[in-house]
Amino acid sequence: AKIEETFELMELDLTQPGTYKETYQFITVATNTKVTVSVSDSELSLVTPADEGGKGFTVSKDLPLKYDVVFRKDTDSKRGGYKQYTVEAGERDTRRLVFWAEWMDGENWYQLLAGEYKGSATVTVAASN
């Protein structure tokens, strides 16, 4: 199996509570045997805080930021996606690899510290039974 693209950095700029944004790039897998393509969960950490006291801050589930890296076909609806899919032997399949994020506009919006966050996700192509 082969991934035909080289992945690029994906960035989003959330400037105020209530903002939802996403970006994507294409992933094409060609294979001569059945494979499963999956993307790992990612964890975002603050790397350039507004003040030095925030260094090492990691986004947790109870903070007002929701995000994920998922796959989608062009026909799939926005907001959502799936973490894995199968490509059958002898096929070439193209999907979108989507990074989305939403700064929730709730009572605790201020707990999301200002600054630049970074994280990573791993795409895996593995033989399938």
Side-chain angles (χ1 to χ4, degrees):
K2 178 182 177 185
I3 297 176
E4 297 182 356
E5 291 82 13
T6 302
F7 294 117
E8 301 294 329
L9 181 68
M10 292 196 288
E11 297 180 347
L12 296 174
D13 187 15
L14 301 177
T15 57
Q16 63 186 27
T19 304
Y20 172 90
K21 290 191 178 180
E22 62 180 49
T23 186
Y24 68 88
Q25 54 191 285
F26 289 103
I27 175 173
T28 301
V29 175
T31 182
N32 64 353
T33 185
K34 184 176 179 181
V35 295
T36 299
V37 183
S38 60
V39 62
S40 66
D41 289 331
S42 63
E43 185 173 277
L44 295 179
S45 295
L46 185 62
V47 294
T48 55
D51 60 22
E52 292 301 309
K55 281 199 176 195
F57 176 83
T58 299
V59 174
S60 65
K61 299 291 182 202
D62 58 341
L63 290 176
L65 178 66
K66 306 300 178 210
Y67 63 93
D68 206 355
V69 179
V70 296
F71 298 111
R72 281 194 211 137
K73 287 191 96 115
D74 282 340
T75 56
D76 293 337
S77 63
K78 282 192 168 193
R79 294 196 186 222
Y82 36 94
K83 300 297 276 184
Q84 70 177 30
Y85 64 95
T86 301
V87 181
E88 297 294 333
E91 289 187 359
R92 182 175 178 270
D93 185 284
T94 300
R95 313 265 170 139
R96 291 176 192 250
L97 179 63
V98 179
F99 169 45
W100 65 266
E102 183 173 12
W103 184 2
M104 309 302 286
D105 189 12
E107 292 180 16
N108 65 341
W109 64 268
Y110 57 88
Q111 292 178 334
L112 185 63
L113 301 181
E116 179 182 346
Y117 291 78
K118 288 190 178 183
S120 63
T122 302
V123 173
T124 303
V125 178
S128 185
N129 292 334

